[in-house]
Structures are given as C-alpha cells and as structure tokens.
C-alpha cells in the first residue's frame, strides 16, 4: 500500500467514525420523550459555516462587529496587562481575522508564538495563512478539540513562559447551562497561576434587538437553522421536508438565553436511514437547536471566580453590549 492509499484509508475511517457519531447524536436528540433537541455544534458544515459568516455581517447581528471593535480598541491595553514572555493559544480560531490586532500588539514587545486550535481543517488553514503574515508572529495550527489542543500546547511550554488563552466570539454562550463553568474549570486546570484567559461574551440587551439578531428579516438565520435538517438529509440519508419546518427564535428569561427551535408545521414522520430510525412530529412540536446565553458583566466575574480566575479587566462595547474580560488564573 502506498503512503497515499494509507492516507485515503485513514481519512475514510475517520469519516465513517464521525458519521457514526453524528447518527448516534441525532438519534439520541430526536428520540427523547420530552423536548426534542439537536446539538448546535452540527450547524457548522461547509454550508452552515458560510451561512454563519453571512450572519456575522447582517445589520441586525452586531455581535461579531462588537467583538472586533473591542479587540481593536483594547489590544494595546491587553498587551500591557499580560505577563511576558507569552505564548498565545486560541480555542476555535475560525479564520483568525480578529486575533490579528492582539498578535500585532503583543509582537511589538517580543516574538509571539501563536497556536490556533480548530476542529475544522479548512478554517485552520485560512487562519494560518492570514496570521503567518504578521511580523514577529510564528503560527502553529493544531487540528483538535479545544481542551485536547490546549493540553498539547501547555505540555510544550518552556519554564517561565506565560500562556494567554483566547476564547472569543461568545462561543461560551452556546454551552448548555452549567457547562460554561465546567469548561472554564477545565481550562483553568491546564493553566498555572499567572496565566491569562481573554473571554469574549455577549451581554443582555433589549429584547427587540436580540430577537431581530436571531430572526433577521432576510431569513439568513432561518436558513442557518434549517440547514441542520438539510445536513441530516445529505449525510444521513434522511427525508426531512424543509418546507414543513420553520425557524423560531425566542428569549427564555429564566435562563437569559435566546433559544432557536425548528417547528414542525404539521404532523409528520421522517425517516433517517443511516441512523436506522423514524421520528414522528406533532403539529407545532419543536426541535431545540441552540441556546445563546446573554450574560451580565458581573455574572461573568462570578463564573470566572468559581472556575479559579480573578478578573483583571473588562472592556465593554457600548453600541452592542459585548464584553471582553481578561481573567488571570489564581
Ligand atoms: C457562534 N455563536 C456565538 C453564535 C451566537 O450568536 O450564539 C451562533 C449563532 N446562532 C445564530 N446566530 C448566530
């Protein structure tokens, strides 16, 4: 077997394994007796990622622009507060566009080693391309889950080097309730006192602003949500009729979260062949596909304190209530 054949075989095996896991997760979420659910991580296939990129430039969705504004404005302040020498590790870098300002500011003091961690090989490649051009920055991408990648970077660090972990874009808000704290605790366990975490998080804001952001009139967010069913059709040989489901975005005040659902317009049965499963929907029944928690600035400090971090600084965008918090491991 040539090396090339072996690579193809490994890729096919990996694909079979991810398809099996996908089928298991979809079946588990739709087989529930109460609220049906699908994990939001499955939004991001090639179509979903492109739709998310479009959402991020929609006038109603100010989150991504606010994140970028705060980082651009305060990258210099951040560089003054983070201990040197530092290596930077980003959890879920995406294309790496907004990280540029931070790396430029840090590289004014010393050469910076930047480790983006991504499960998407294509996003990682474009991040490496984009940021390798910044003077004084060495980029080494790691294709893995966040915590595995972070442990890998932490194991490589030289004595006396600080670690700055970036977790931007309010991805923390998409964790299930309580999982944000557990995740930050796991991050803390890989760090040593004095290391830093820069956490981007969307804040509570007026209801009409939130609802418009998650149910834009052009229907891009609706397409993003419905693409999850289209992906199940494509990859698991299912027969969801997308026209018989509609996008719903609503605010749950008791959890301070925007919830996205897909509502069945009629009673129907769907077959998901590769999951060997049939699922029935009542008219009006929903599949819960995503929660996007909206924090208060103080709540972030409380969550961080419960996870072993002190809050050193918090920068807030006033136009779109979005915070960038600098936490130090204690
Ligand atoms: C990725 N994440 C922070 C987005 C959010 O706002 O919760 C995902 C998203 N869902 C709908 N629009 C955007």
């Amino acid at each position: 077997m040539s090396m090339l054949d072996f690579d193809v075989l490994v890729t096919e095996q990996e694909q079979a394994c991810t398809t099996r896991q996908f089928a298991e997760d979809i079946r588990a979420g739709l087989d529930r007796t109460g609220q049906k659910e699908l994990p939001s991580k499955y939004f991001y296939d090639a179509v979903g990622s492109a739709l998310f990129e479009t959402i991020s430039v929609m006038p109603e969705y100010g989150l991504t622009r606010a994140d970028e504004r705060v980082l651009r404005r305060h990258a210099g302040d951040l560089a003054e507060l983070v201990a040197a020498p530092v290596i930077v590790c980003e959890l879920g870098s995406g294309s790496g566009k907004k990280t540029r300002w931070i790396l430029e500011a840090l590289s004014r003091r010393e050469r910076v080693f930047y480790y983006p961690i991504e499960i998407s090989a294509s996003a990682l490649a474009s991040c490496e391309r984009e940021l390798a051009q910044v003077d004084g920055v060495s980029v080494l991408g790691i294709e893995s889950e966040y915590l595995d990648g972070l442990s890998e970077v932490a194991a490589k660090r030289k004595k006396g080097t600080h670690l700055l972990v970036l977790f931007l874009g309010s991805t923390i808000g998409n964790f299930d309730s309580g999982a944000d704290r557990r995740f930050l605790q796991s991050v803390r366990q890989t760090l040593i006192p004095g290391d830093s975490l820069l956490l981007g998080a969307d804040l509570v804001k007026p209801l009409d602003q939130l609802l418009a952001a998650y149910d834009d009139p052009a229907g891009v967010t609706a397409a993003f949500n419905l693409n999850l069913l289209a992906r199940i059709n494509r990859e698991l040989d299912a027969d969801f009729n997308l026209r018989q489901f509609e996008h719903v975005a609503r605010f749950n005040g008791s959890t301070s979260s925007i919830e996205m659902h897909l509502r069945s317009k009629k009673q129907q049965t769907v077959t998901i062949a590769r999951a060997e499963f049939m699922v029935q929907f009542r008219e009006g029944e929903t599949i819960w596909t995503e929660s996007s928690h909206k924090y208060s600035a103080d709540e972030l400090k409380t969550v961080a304190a419960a996870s072993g971090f002190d809050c050193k600084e918090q920068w807030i965008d006033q136009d779109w209530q979005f915070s960038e918090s600098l936490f130090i491991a204690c």
Side-chain angles (χ1 to χ4, degrees), residues 241-307:
N241 179 347
L242 268 60
R243 296 191 193 286
Q244 296 303 342
F245 287 86
E246 63 192 355
H247 167 67
V248 178
R250 57 185 180 224
F251 188 69
N252 181 336
S254 63
T255 57
S256 188
S257 303
I258 282 278
E259 289 181 3
M260 296 208 311
H261 291 251
L262 289 163
R263 184 192 287 137
S264 174
K265 292 186 188 171
K266 61 171 196 180
Q267 184 178 338
Q268 53 186 320
T269 302
V270 174
T271 305
I272 308 173
R274 294 187 72 183
E276 296 172 354
F277 177 58
M278 278 167 80
V279 53
Q280 295 192 335
F281 294 94
R282 296 184 309 276
E283 182 181 343
E285 184 177 8
T286 72
I287 313 171
W288 184 6
T289 51
E290 186 186 62
S291 279
S292 189
H293 183 68
K294 304 302 164 190
Y295 292 87
S296 72
D298 284 343
E299 180 189 2
L300 284 162
K301 291 182 190 166
T302 308
V303 174
S307 316

Side-chain angles (χ1 to χ4, degrees), residues 43-44 52 55-56 61 63 168-174 202 213-214 221 224 247 258 260 290-294:
F43 279 140
Y44 301 94
F52 179 65
I55 289 174
S56 68
Y61 188 81
L63 189 155
L168 307 175
S170 203
T171 304
I172 188 87
N174 296 132
D202 202 20
Y214 290 86
T221 310
F224 174 70
H247 167 67
I258 282 278
M260 296 208 311
E290 186 186 62
S291 279
S292 189
H293 183 68
K294 304 302 164 190

